[in-house]
Amino acid sequence: MLLMEHESKELLEKHGIKTARCIFVQDENEAIKAAKSIGFPVVMKVASREILHKSDVGGVILNVNNESEAKKAFNKLMSIEDVEGVNVQPMLKKGIEIIIGVTHDEQFGSVLMFGLGGIFVEVLKDVSFRLIPLTKQDAEEMIKETKGYRLLEGCRECKGDVNALIELILKVSDVVENESILEMDLNPVFVYEKGYVVADARIVVGNKKSFKEKIGDISFFFNPKSVAIIGASRDPRSPGHTIVENLLSYKGKIYPINPKAEEILGLKCYPSLGDVDSIDVAIIAVPSKNVVEIVNECAEKNVKGIIVISGGFAEGWEYGSELEREIVEIAKSKGIRIIGPNTMGVLNPENGFTSFFSPITRMNLKTKLGNIGVLSQSGAFANFLLFSLHHIGFSKIISIGNKCDVDEVESLNYLLNDKKTEVIAVYLEGFTNGRAFYELMKKSNKPIVVLKSGRTKAGKKSALTHTASISTSDDVFKAACKQAKVVKVRDYDELVDVVKALSLLPLPKGDRIAVIQPSGAECVMSADAVEENGLRLAEYSDKTLERLVELSPEWHTISNPLDLYPIIEKSGDKAFFEILEIVANDDNVDAIVTGAFISLLLKQDFRWLKKIEKPILFTFKDDLEMFRQAKMKVENLGFPVYSTPERAIRALKHMLIFV
Amino acid sequence: MLLMEHESKELLEKHGIKTARCIFVQDENEAIKAAKSIGFPVVMKVASREILHKSDVGGVILNVNNESEAKKAFNKLMSIEDVEGVNVQPMLKKGIEIIIGVTHDEQFGSVLMFGLGGIFVEVLKDVSFRLIPLTKQDAEEMIKETKGYRLLEGCRECKGDVNALIELILKVSDVVENESILEMDLNPVFVYEKGYVVADARIVVGNKKSFKEKIGDISFFFNPKSVAIIGASRDPRSPGHTIVENLLSYKGKIYPINPKAEEILGLKCYPSLGDVDSIDVAIIAVPSKNVVEIVNECAEKNVKGIIVISGGFAEGWEYGSELEREIVEIAKSKGIRIIGPNTMGVLNPENGFTSFFSPITRMNLKTKLGNIGVLSQSGAFANFLLFSLHHIGFSKIISIGNKCDVDEVESLNYLLNDKKTEVIAVYLEGFTNGRAFYELMKKSNKPIVVLKSGRTKAGKKSALTHTASISTSDDVFKAACKQAKVVKVRDYDELVDVVKALSLLPLPKGDRIAVIQPSGAECVMSADAVEENGLRLAEYSDKTLERLVELSPEWHTISNPLDLYPIIEKSGDKAFFEILEIVANDDNVDAIVTGAFISLLLKQDFRWLKKIEKPILFTFKDDLEMFRQAKMKVENLGFPVYSTPERAIRALKHMLIFV
């Protein structure tokens, strides 16, 4: 329900927010009395729940100077359609115009918007968002990230009281937390050199959506004592075959279910679920139309969890949505959990358990046990990460597809509690419970890196037909990531770049970067990238400089970025590791981005470098087979490799979020 | 010399630019007379060549309403320090404030700046640039690319006459072309719903720098009859050895010069230049201190051109700059041309001639003869391109290092005239003659892709110590690229991505993109990328839709992007090429970005696809060896491969510049 202006302002005043209080009147004499009590000149405004834009209907009269003008104004305003009364308020001194708004996002709940008025909001859409409640730091950052902030800071002979604004934002956050408020528009707020006043206010009250969620334990999906594969097949091209193949090294009991086969890949086959002993997890890889029946059989067998690999559910057609609802109903009634449908499911490199149907065994892809936990809505995306980072190592991978039951919140919660997981990579197309996901991200003490697709209108349309998810506004999610101190990346490469660095390296202590490169071109490009990413080039200590000068030909200028080539020409390539050690041990240096000569990397052992507790990121092209060998060697020794200094420097920028 | 306001305005009026003409007066009576002839109210302003900001010294008095006020104002203004007189002008109706400025850039000559006044220029730095002279299209685009354009378009109850503004910009361009004008500030110009008026104007006159350059023919560097390598060495780690090694297959006469060696790699060595017959090109790879002596010897031998590989010149120390000046002087006096120093020089895959000192022969790197011409300031950068694109093929590569003689203009001119070159990739850190380079880019009918580093302050510092070049403002160069219809990229990966597409593919006829991907995730990410790059998703024709529905399982929703997986599951992987053909032949489709199943790509021959005259860009990860094999196969068949759809779509966006 929309409150009237005077009601809105009363509510705000009750919480200590300074408004240009207005007196609501419904007859001429009251209006004159009100104007007199405020003192001429006054502003008179139409009051109505139906009128959203008062100016557009001629509903705001400024500079009402005396009784007769007040009378005239009152009568004019009362003749406007839908009028309920008139508000009388003092004329305000003009300040910098600010807008503070609150909306109730379908996925993230109460969101606060801040922006400067006029051109900034109307022409430039120069606004920032934060989820409510905000901290003082959130409020400060959201003000500073608008372009209009420069105006508040002081320029063009005006200046705004930023501290008072921060206080106002925090109070608005409080009001929304404590009252049943869905929407709010404080527009405009005048900000002065000292203080502010809310000139106009609209508040919509109502019941807020609850984002409470019972977060179940899904850990049993990663180490079942027994697993059945329904749809196990002898055809190597079929998912039901590949899953069995990928499970061959798993130590639990494996029951391929296929009424027509005696055995598959040396494992005895069973005609139906009824023919096997107890089953912890069932993997279903049969056409969607047959899945309801299978889920019923699972229910009879008291299966704990089901992973539905098959597509053809809500991502495709309306009947698929019905099928999904049906299997969820059956499962819920029996306390069975479901991952999927339309997914790869899980992969646990520690024990070899997996429901992945990509031919990882056939490709001889050895997945190292490591510290990267993956939560991916898309199975294919999880699979890409497996290709790119199998040698860096994963703790657990979970892909949740249409998330008819197990959702992103439970999955993230699982990874947060998983001891082997130290870094979390997330790919999502839409949220089931954005607010609960945000709360978890915020609580996390493990670094999280998120790629959220379906950002654009076109993107969203495609998301609807893929995993049947509805994207939320990218602005709000961007704000959520900032508040939760989570890295939000734009594409696959960026995700891999950051996750790799976080997995292998210690965090830098600061933003002073040393760049060492074998060519001048890479030095110049690196310097651009350091500045464009908001980092600083470290200034070497005297001790470092002295030694670098000794190693260099007399004509070479030592600087940061450091051009290696002339040094190697004079002192030989063995000088490289010495330089790296000197620079890394320089107290003025927080992180190192270094190129290297590939032949040198291939022939030297440099695992001792790991003792230096600063991040060292290597950069060289991996276009040729020899280069790729060098990359694998360097990454296996624990240092991430990037194809360009720009990518390494971008990864470093993101690492600093966690410092 | 700074013109006074009334002189500036006279000059502008002479060229048909509408100004708020002012009358310059130096005594009280003249002032009153002027005010009367204009008609009260008037504006009176201090006139002085010394005062840049009149308002700051109280030098602007508005609303002068009568004779006595005019008298008072005159006397007040005349008391200001440095005053030379007073300007009387009419009060102007307020319009949208615009700024038009002209500067004379050290590298690009006359540059015009456009922006909205007030917040837009002061707070947001929301301005655009173009090189003078401008076309009508340039003027229109530079207005539209500012954020403030929305205000001119009409919003917040104001609107500006964009056509009049375009005319004004073109007139300013003309004035600057035809008069000796170095700088100009039209600030503010008031733009109304109809017309405009220049309220204030400052013009600096003076002689413009000339950018005329005698462009020499450097083609002889690419196919010398005879070549001497001074500094040829038996040590495989030395550049002088590797150059000889890389030249072994070259059919010209090769003279390694080394007083201590009998032979190198089977070639007879000569103690000095004096001991060999005539030489076309000398490659010098000895320490910088010895180069002057060698250049003198070259001069005696009437060598045509010298490539100085060695570093230790102007990029390093002051003495190196002296050395550079000395060798240039010797060469100039004898008509010898020099490439370098501090460079790789040239590579011509057609005849195998090269001065590159990277171990390309030892690495068994076969460089295909193709259509990509490379102009790189950095030798290392040229070498990177060789690694990344050797299988796509180059026409010529030239790297010019410190460019003490042969510069970027002559090199670009050479590539523009070279018949084998169809696409040009440029890497530059600074300009020797930016304007001449721009003129060539503008004339080019071959697509040019430029990476310019040294964009930031930090970047520039490093450029100074590398190839001794001074970077020009990135804003101006960005404008030059827009005007010349040249792709300006931000990093190495983007350069390679675009050049590869331009080298292999026909240009798209429009921006309607079809995306085909083997996973829903890639579909969603592609849809985001298409929109974020300003392209459109094509709408399939009915015929295409019909066939796609036939091939799909009943539950699958057919859309663009198209999720391949369900189709392949139903119809087998042979359906992929059929789908590709149907979609590519759809008249609603201008270009295709497609993923594929790698095993399919490896086993099928699809060179017939080349017959389809639309760009087809493949996307798949190349993380694993098998994937890389697929990449090489696909690229050797003439279709570029990208690691993500995002990169392919970005490359497509850039291709559209040339359409």
Side-chain angles (χ1 to χ4, degrees):
Chain A
M1 190 190 66
L2 179 67
L3 297 186
M4 297 196 55
E5 184 179 341
H6 66 288
E7 295 166 341
S8 298
K9 286 181 170 175
E10 270 161 32
L11 181 59
L12 294 170
E13 287 276 348
K14 205 180 84 188
H15 286 85
I17 292 171
K18 203 179 157 218
T19 69
R21 277 295 286 280
C22 57
I23 302 172
F24 178 69
V25 296
Q26 291 183 303
D27 82 35
E28 205 178 277
N29 291 332
E30 271 177 27
I32 291 165
K33 206 175 113 195
K36 273 168 140 179
S37 79
I38 287 166
F40 289 108
V42 295
V43 183
M44 291 173 71
K45 303 191 281 189
V46 69
S48 164
R49 278 175 232 270
E50 305 300 318
I51 300 167
L52 293 187
H53 301 290
K54 291 189 276 279
S55 302
D56 292 358
V57 294
V60 180
I61 300 173
L62 301 173
N63 274 315
V64 177
N65 282 310
N66 50 47
E67 282 188 33
S68 81
E69 281 182 27
K71 206 167 134 178
K72 216 173 111 193
F74 177 82
N75 289 312
K76 194 179 155 214
L77 293 171
M78 288 305 285
S79 69
I80 293 171
E81 200 175 347
D82 293 325
V83 66
E84 295 177 51
V86 166
N87 280 315
V88 184
Q89 81 175 42
M91 279 291 291
L92 297 174
K93 188 174 62 144
K94 262 269 181 186
I96 301 176
E97 271 186 45
I98 295 290
I99 296 176
I100 289 174
V102 172
T103 56
H104 194 70
D105 186 88
E106 193 56 30
Q107 275 305 329
F108 291 93
S110 299
V111 175
L112 191 144
M113 185 192 88
F114 167 83
L116 267 73
I119 285 167
F120 287 95
V121 63
E122 287 172 43
V123 181
L124 303 167
K125 312 274 175 240
D126 174 33
V127 292
S128 58
F129 297 89
R130 288 294 185 277
L131 273 59
I132 288 174
L134 287 85
T135 63
K136 194 174 169 191
Q137 195 193 344
D138 292 334
E140 199 174 332
E141 284 175 1
M142 85 182 296
I143 294 171
K144 289 190 176 167
E145 82 187 37
T146 63
K147 297 190 192 78
Y149 172 65
R150 281 209 47 213
L151 215 64
L152 291 168
E153 251 189 326
C155 92
R156 309 198 90 222
E157 289 142 45
C158 58
K159 209 178 150 170
D161 187 340
V162 174
N163 288 328
L165 254 184
I166 291 172
E167 213 180 291
L168 170 60
I169 287 173
L170 293 175
K171 275 185 182 154
V172 169
S173 169
D174 269 357
V175 179
V176 175
E177 273 289 275
N178 296 316
E179 307 270 350
S180 298
I181 293 176
L182 289 177
E183 289 177 40
M184 190 191 292
D185 258 355
L186 310 186
N187 179 15
V189 177
F190 290 123
V191 182
Y192 307 112
E193 263 197 72
K194 273 222 144 323
Y196 70 88
V197 61
V198 175
D200 203 346
R202 279 182 62 226
I203 289 176
V204 177
V205 293
N207 288 328
K208 284 178 264 189
K209 183 174 164 183
S210 164
F211 294 97
K212 284 220 180 88
E213 175 170 342
K214 191 172 159 270
I215 299 179
D217 176 16
I218 58 167
S219 57
F220 67 88
F221 273 113
F222 293 85
N223 46 12
K225 285 203 189 68
S226 54
V227 54
I229 303 96
I230 299 101
S233 158
R234 281 166 299 187
D235 179 353
R237 288 170 308 176
S238 126
H241 180 90
T242 314
I243 294 170
V244 175
E245 186 180 75
N246 291 340
L247 275 171
L248 285 176
S249 63
Y250 183 57
K251 300 283 177 241
K253 282 185 191 149
I254 303 168
Y255 301 109
I257 309 291
N258 183 334
K260 291 178 201 149
E262 282 289 305
E263 62 167 51
I264 292 174
L265 292 163
L267 291 180
K268 180 177 187 306
C269 261
Y270 299 81
S272 81
L273 271 182
D275 302 307
V276 297
D277 292 338
S278 78
I279 289 164
D280 277 357
V281 168
I283 302 172
I284 301 182
V286 300
S288 56
K289 284 185 284 191
N290 307 331
V291 171
V292 174
E293 189 194 328
I294 309 279
V295 170
N296 271 320
E297 289 177 30
C298 288
E300 274 169 40
K301 287 297 279 184
N302 288 318
V303 161
K304 279 199 230 168
I306 300 174
I307 302 174
V308 185
I309 298 301
S310 332
F313 287 89
E315 84 281 10
W317 55 348
E318 189 42 48
Y319 181 53
S321 304
E322 269 176 50
L323 292 174
E324 244 180 71
R325 279 191 291 273
E326 245 179 282
I327 63 172
V328 170
E329 211 174 294
I330 302 163
K332 283 244 158 90
S333 72
K334 295 282 182 172
I336 301 173
R337 302 305 311 269
I338 303 180
I339 291 177
N342 184 26
T343 192
M344 289 274 188
V346 304
L347 187 146
N348 181 355
E350 197 173 10
N351 60 17
F353 181 71
T354 188
S355 56
F356 272 48
F357 60 88
S358 56
I360 42 184
T361 307
R362 227 170 300 158
M363 289 167 74
N364 200 19
L365 195 77
K366 305 256 182 288
T367 304
K368 197 169 136 182
L369 173 62
N371 62 4
I372 304 170
V374 174
L375 156 55
S376 173
Q377 188 161 348
S378 151
F381 196 95
N383 211 41
F384 295 155
L385 287 176
L386 207 56
F387 294 153
S388 300
L389 297 173
H390 61 97
H391 61 296
I392 308 283
F394 295 97
S395 51
K396 306 284 184 305
I397 299 181
I398 178 164
S399 114
I400 51 182
N402 293 5
K403 358 181 222 174
C404 77
D405 178 26
V406 171
D407 66 8
E408 70 275 9
V409 178
E410 290 175 299
S411 305
L412 179 59
N413 181 63
Y414 169 71
L415 292 175
L416 288 176
N417 290 314
D418 177 51
K419 290 218 170 57
K420 291 267 184 275
T421 300
E422 291 172 1
V423 182
I424 299 171
V426 178
Y427 171 75
L428 284 176
E429 288 163 8
F431 291 96
T432 302
N433 187 341
R435 170 61 71 159
F437 194 76
Y438 162 71
E439 305 284 0
L440 279 182
M441 291 201 302
K442 209 168 154 65
K443 271 202 312 211
S444 168
N445 47 22
K446 301 177 182 181
I448 299 175
V449 185
V450 182
L451 172 54
K452 164 80 176 58
S453 68
R455 290 185 296 264
T456 60
K457 241 169 43 192
K460 276 191 204 173
K461 191 180 157 212
S462 182
L464 269 171
T465 58
H466 172 46
T467 23
S469 62
I470 296 155
S471 300
T472 49
S473 146
D474 196 48
D475 287 334
V476 175
F477 184 56
K478 210 184 278 172
C481 289
K482 277 183 195 156
Q483 277 176 284
K485 295 205 189 308
V486 153
V487 176
K488 182 173 185 293
V489 296
R490 287 195 73 79
D491 59 28
Y492 180 83
D493 289 343
E494 195 175 5
L495 182 81
V496 167
D497 285 354
V498 191
V499 166
K500 198 155 78 167
L502 289 167
S503 169
L504 296 176
L505 300 178
L507 289 173
K509 296 224 161 54
D511 64 353
R512 299 167 307 167
I513 316 299
V515 178
I516 303 169
Q517 289 294 341
S519 81
E522 285 158 303
C523 286
V524 183
M525 291 188 282
S526 300
D528 281 348
V530 166
E531 187 165 319
E532 286 167 356
N533 281 288
L535 305 174
R536 287 185 295 160
L537 286 167
E539 292 188 18
Y540 299 136
S541 71
D542 289 345
K543 198 181 136 198
T544 302
L545 282 173
E546 256 167 54
R547 183 63 186 138
L548 291 175
V549 167
E550 274 169 33
L551 291 165
S552 298
E554 53 179 340
W555 57 264
H556 188 40
T557 308
I558 298 298
S559 56
N560 180 17
L562 180 68
D563 187 350
L564 261 185
Y565 189 81
I567 305 184
I568 299 295
E569 237 191 354
K570 182 193 167 189
S571 302
D573 63 9
K574 65 186 183 312
F576 169 68
F577 283 110
E578 186 189 341
I579 293 167
L580 197 52
E581 194 178 4
I582 296 167
V583 170
N585 284 321
D586 189 324
D587 286 342
N588 294 345
V589 169
D590 295 315
I592 301 99
V593 173
T594 184
F597 297 89
I598 283 162
S599 50
L600 178 74
L601 291 179
L602 283 170
K603 85 189 165 210
Q604 287 261 351
D605 183 0
F606 47 94
R607 65 189 70 215
W608 56 269
L609 252 191
K610 259 314 212 195
K611 279 185 215 135
I612 297 173
E613 294 201 331
K614 289 180 186 173
I616 301 177
L617 294 78
F618 279 81
T619 69
F620 51 82
K621 310 260 160 292
D622 62 348
D623 284 322
L624 304 179
E625 190 44 38
M626 188 175 90
F627 299 177
R628 166 125 56 170
Q629 278 165 29
K631 176 181 162 174
M632 292 309 273
K633 178 177 170 184
V634 174
E635 295 200 331
N636 285 330
L637 281 178
F639 300 96
V641 175
Y642 300 88
S643 60
T644 61
E646 288 91 332
R647 287 176 67 167
I649 290 164
R650 184 179 62 179
L652 257 174
K653 173 190 74 178
H654 288 314
M655 288 179 96
L656 280 168
I657 288 184
F658 304 108
V659 176
Chain B
M1 190 190 65
L2 180 67
L3 297 186
M4 294 192 62
E5 185 178 342
H6 66 288
E7 296 165 341
S8 299
K9 287 181 169 175
E10 271 161 32
L11 182 59
L12 295 170
E13 288 276 348
K14 204 181 83 188
H15 286 85
I17 292 170
K18 203 182 156 214
T19 68
R21 277 295 287 279
C22 56
I23 303 173
F24 178 70
V25 296
Q26 290 183 303
D27 80 37
E28 207 179 274
N29 292 330
E30 273 177 25
I32 291 165
K33 206 175 116 197
K36 275 166 131 178
S37 80
I38 286 166
F40 289 107
V42 296
V43 182
M44 290 172 71
K45 304 192 279 188
V46 69
S48 164
R49 280 175 230 270
E50 305 301 318
I51 300 168
L52 293 188
H53 301 290
K54 291 188 273 278
S55 301
D56 291 357
V57 295
V60 181
I61 300 172
L62 301 173
N63 274 315
V64 177
N65 282 311
N66 50 47
E67 283 189 34
S68 82
E69 280 183 29
K71 206 167 134 180
K72 215 173 111 193
F74 177 81
N75 290 313
K76 195 180 154 212
L77 293 170
M78 287 305 283
S79 70
I80 292 171
E81 201 175 346
D82 293 325
V83 64
E84 294 178 52
V86 166
N87 281 314
V88 185
Q89 79 176 41
M91 278 293 288
L92 297 174
K93 189 174 60 144
K94 262 270 180 185
I96 300 176
E97 271 186 45
I98 295 289
I99 295 177
I100 290 174
V102 173
T103 55
H104 194 71
D105 186 86
E106 192 57 30
Q107 276 305 330
F108 291 93
S110 298
V111 174
L112 191 144
M113 185 194 88
F114 167 83
L116 267 73
I119 285 166
F120 287 95
V121 63
E122 286 171 43
V123 181
L124 302 167
K125 311 276 174 237
D126 175 33
V127 292
S128 58
F129 297 89
R130 287 296 184 276
L131 272 57
I132 289 173
L134 287 85
T135 63
K136 195 175 169 190
Q137 193 192 346
D138 292 333
E140 198 174 333
E141 284 175 0
M142 85 182 296
I143 294 171
K144 289 190 176 165
E145 82 187 35
T146 62
K147 298 190 190 78
Y149 172 65
R150 282 207 46 213
L151 215 64
L152 291 168
E153 253 189 325
C155 90
R156 310 200 87 221
E157 289 142 45
C158 56
K159 208 177 152 173
D161 187 339
V162 174
N163 288 330
L165 255 185
I166 292 172
E167 212 179 291
L168 170 61
I169 287 173
L170 292 176
K171 277 186 182 155
V172 170
S173 171
D174 269 356
V175 180
V176 175
E177 273 289 274
N178 296 317
E179 306 272 350
S180 298
I181 292 176
L182 290 177
E183 290 177 40
M184 190 191 292
D185 259 354
L186 311 186
N187 179 15
V189 177
F190 291 122
V191 182
Y192 307 112
E193 265 198 72
K194 271 220 145 325
Y196 70 89
V197 60
V198 175
D200 202 345
R202 278 181 62 228
I203 290 177
V204 177
V205 294
N207 289 326
K208 284 178 264 189
K209 183 175 162 182
S210 164
F211 294 98
K212 284 219 179 89
E213 176 172 341
K214 192 172 158 270
I215 299 179
D217 176 16
I218 58 167
S219 56
F220 67 87
F221 273 113
F222 293 85
N223 46 11
K225 286 203 188 69
S226 54
V227 55
I229 303 98
I230 299 101
S233 158
R234 282 166 298 185
D235 178 355
R237 287 168 308 176
S238 128
H241 181 90
T242 315
I243 295 169
V244 174
E245 188 180 74
N246 291 340
L247 276 170
L248 285 175
S249 64
Y250 183 58
K251 300 284 176 239
K253 282 183 191 147
I254 303 168
Y255 301 110
I257 309 291
N258 182 334
K260 290 178 201 152
E262 283 288 306
E263 61 166 51
I264 292 173
L265 294 162
L267 292 179
K268 181 177 183 308
C269 261
Y270 299 81
S272 81
L273 271 181
D275 302 307
V276 298
D277 293 339
S278 76
I279 290 164
D280 277 358
V281 168
I283 303 173
I284 301 181
V286 299
S288 56
K289 284 185 286 190
N290 307 331
V291 171
V292 174
E293 191 194 326
I294 310 279
V295 171
N296 270 319
E297 289 176 30
C298 289
E300 273 168 41
K301 288 296 279 186
N302 288 318
V303 161
K304 280 199 229 165
I306 301 174
I307 302 174
V308 185
I309 298 300
S310 331
F313 287 89
E315 83 283 10
W317 55 348
E318 189 42 48
Y319 181 53
S321 303
E322 269 176 51
L323 292 173
E324 243 181 72
R325 279 189 292 272
E326 247 179 282
I327 63 172
V328 171
E329 209 173 294
I330 302 163
K332 283 244 158 93
S333 72
K334 295 283 184 172
I336 302 172
R337 303 305 312 268
I338 302 180
I339 291 177
N342 184 27
T343 190
M344 288 275 190
V346 305
L347 187 146
N348 181 354
E350 196 172 10
N351 60 18
F353 181 70
T354 187
S355 57
F356 271 48
F357 60 88
S358 56
I360 42 185
T361 307
R362 228 171 297 159
M363 290 168 73
N364 200 21
L365 195 78
K366 306 254 183 288
T367 305
K368 196 169 138 182
L369 173 62
N371 61 4
I372 303 171
V374 174
L375 156 54
S376 173
Q377 187 161 347
S378 151
F381 195 96
N383 211 41
F384 297 154
L385 288 175
L386 207 55
F387 294 152
S388 301
L389 298 172
H390 61 98
H391 61 296
I392 307 284
F394 296 97
S395 51
K396 306 283 184 305
I397 299 181
I398 177 165
S399 114
I400 51 181
N402 292 4
K403 3 182 216 172
C404 76
D405 178 27
V406 171
D407 65 8
E408 71 275 8
V409 178
E410 290 175 299
S411 306
L412 179 60
N413 182 64
Y414 169 72
L415 293 175
L416 289 175
N417 290 313
D418 177 51
K419 291 220 168 57
K420 292 266 183 274
T421 300
E422 291 171 1
V423 182
I424 299 172
V426 178
Y427 171 76
L428 284 177
E429 288 163 9
F431 291 96
T432 301
N433 188 342
R435 171 61 70 159
F437 194 76
Y438 162 72
E439 305 286 359
L440 279 182
M441 291 199 303
K442 210 168 153 66
K443 271 201 313 212
S444 168
N445 46 21
K446 301 177 182 181
I448 299 175
V449 186
V450 181
L451 171 55
K452 164 81 176 59
S453 68
R455 290 185 295 263
T456 59
K457 242 170 39 188
K460 278 190 202 173
K461 193 179 153 212
S462 183
L464 269 172
T465 59
H466 172 45
T467 23
S469 62
I470 296 155
S471 301
T472 49
S473 146
D474 197 48
D475 287 334
V476 174
F477 184 55
K478 210 183 278 171
C481 289
K482 277 183 193 157
Q483 276 176 284
K485 296 207 189 305
V486 153
V487 176
K488 183 174 185 291
V489 296
R490 288 196 71 78
D491 59 28
Y492 180 84
D493 289 343
E494 195 175 5
L495 182 80
V496 168
D497 285 354
V498 190
V499 166
K500 199 155 77 168
L502 289 167
S503 169
L504 297 175
L505 301 177
L507 289 173
K509 296 223 161 55
D511 63 355
R512 299 167 306 166
I513 316 300
V515 178
I516 303 169
Q517 289 294 339
S519 79
E522 284 158 304
C523 287
V524 183
M525 292 189 282
S526 299
D528 281 347
V530 166
E531 187 166 319
E532 286 168 356
N533 281 289
L535 305 174
R536 286 186 293 161
L537 286 168
E539 291 187 19
Y540 299 136
S541 71
D542 290 344
K543 197 180 137 202
T544 303
L545 281 173
E546 258 167 53
R547 183 62 187 137
L548 290 175
V549 167
E550 275 169 31
L551 290 165
S552 298
E554 53 179 340
W555 57 264
H556 188 40
T557 309
I558 297 299
S559 55
N560 180 19
L562 180 68
D563 187 351
L564 262 184
Y565 191 80
I567 305 183
I568 299 296
E569 239 192 354
K570 182 191 169 191
S571 302
D573 64 8
K574 64 187 184 311
F576 170 68
F577 283 110
E578 186 189 341
I579 293 168
L580 196 53
E581 194 179 5
I582 297 167
V583 170
N585 284 322
D586 189 324
D587 285 342
N588 294 346
V589 170
D590 296 314
I592 300 99
V593 173
T594 183
F597 296 90
I598 284 163
S599 51
L600 178 74
L601 292 179
L602 282 170
K603 83 187 169 215
Q604 287 260 353
D605 183 359
F606 47 95
R607 66 188 69 217
W608 56 269
L609 253 192
K610 258 317 213 191
K611 278 183 216 136
I612 298 173
E613 294 201 332
K614 288 182 186 172
I616 302 178
L617 294 78
F618 278 81
T619 70
F620 51 82
K621 309 262 161 289
D622 62 348
D623 283 321
L624 304 179
E625 190 44 38
M626 189 175 91
F627 299 176
R628 167 127 54 171
Q629 279 166 27
K631 175 180 162 174
M632 293 309 274
K633 178 177 171 186
V634 174
E635 294 200 332
N636 285 330
L637 282 178
F639 300 96
V641 175
Y642 300 88
S643 60
T644 61
E646 288 92 332
R647 286 177 68 166
I649 290 163
R650 184 179 62 179
L652 258 174
K653 172 189 75 176
H654 288 315
M655 288 179 96
L656 280 168
I657 289 184
F658 304 109
V659 176

